[in-house]
Amino acid sequence: MNETPSQVKSKGFLEGLIELFAGLEDYRSPYAPTIQPPDNLIQELVQNASFKSGLVSATCSLPPGPLGILSILPELLLVYRIQGHLILDIAALYGKEVQVTKELLLYCLFKHGGAQVFRKIIEESSLKILIRPTTVRAFQTVLEKLGLMISKSIIRKQFARWIPIGGAVVTGTFAYYDTKRVGKTAMELFSKEIHAEEIREFLESQ
C-alpha cells in the first residue's frame, strides 16, 4: 500500500525524533544545582535558547518553494534539539537531571500543544509529577499521536515557505515563543517533586 504524503512526513518525523532522543541521551548539562533559586539563570537560558530557535527556524525558512520545503524536518529537529538541551539544563539546575525520562522530555516539548496525549502516562498536580510505567507499544502510540500533531505544523510551514522573507519572520517568531513555552513548562515541572510509579504500584492501582 502506498503511503500518503502526510504519512510519509509523520514517519520521517518519528524516525528523526528517535534519533534526536539518542543524541539527547548523550548530552551532559554543564550546569549543577545552585545554592540560590535558579530562576534568574533559567530565564537567561530560556531567552538564549528562544533566540537561537527563532534564528534557526527563520534561516531554514529563507529558501523559497520546494527547496524550502525540504528543510522543514531538519528545521523542526534542530529546534527540538535546542529545546531538549534547554530542558536538560533546567533539570540539572534543579538537581533532577537523572530523573529526566523520554516521557518527561516529550511532555516538556509538547504539553502546550497536546497535553491530552500524555494523560495516561503523566499526572501533574500543584506539588508533584507522577510518571506511570509505559510499555514500548504505549510509548510508540504517544509518538504516533505527536507525529500526526506535528504533521499539521509541517503543512502550515509549507505555506510559509512560499512567502519570501515574511514566511521566515513568521516561522522564526513562532519558534521563539514556542521555546519560551517549553522553558516555562520545564521550569514548572522540575520545581516540583517527581515520582516515578513502580510497575507493582501501577498494577495494584488498576
Side-chain angles (χ1 to χ4, degrees), residues 8-56:
V8 171
K9 293 186 184 74
S10 295
K11 184 178 179 181
F13 168 76
L14 292 177
E15 291 172 350
L17 196 60
I18 291 170
E19 291 178 6
L20 172 66
F21 277 127
L24 289 176
E25 287 174 352
D26 295 331
Y27 177 75
R28 295 295 175 267
S29 174
Y31 298 96
T34 58
I35 297 175
Q36 299 296 325
D39 296 18
N40 290 338
L41 180 53
I42 289 175
Q43 292 296 343
E44 183 180 342
L45 290 176
V46 171
Q47 182 63 33
N48 290 340
S50 298
F51 179 78
K52 189 183 297 184
S53 295
L55 183 61
V56 165

Side-chain angles (χ1 to χ4, degrees), residues 111-145:
K111 177 196 172 186
H112 55 279
Q116 72 282 356
V117 173
F118 304 94
R119 188 172 58 248
K120 293 184 178 180
I121 61 176
I122 293 179
E123 181 179 328
E124 183 175 2
S125 67
S126 59
L127 298 174
K128 185 173 70 173
I129 300 291
L130 177 64
I131 309 171
R132 295 190 175 90
T134 56
T135 62
V136 173
R137 178 55 193 161
F139 187 73
Q140 183 66 27
T141 299
V142 169
L143 288 180
E144 289 171 356
K145 289 179 179 179

Side-chain angles (χ1 to χ4, degrees), residues 9 60 63-74 154 157-159 161-162:
K9 293 186 184 74
C60 289
L67 185 60
I69 290 173
L70 290 175
S71 70
I72 291 176
L73 281 179
I154 292 174
K157 286 179 177 290
Q158 286 178 335
F159 286 112
R161 291 306 198 262
W162 295 96

Side-chain angles (χ1 to χ4, degrees), residues 161-183:
R161 291 306 198 262
W162 295 96
I163 306 174
I165 308 301
V169 172
V170 170
T171 57
T173 301
F174 180 84
Y176 176 89
Y177 286 106
D178 187 66
T179 304
K180 286 268 192 181
R181 288 191 289 266
V182 169

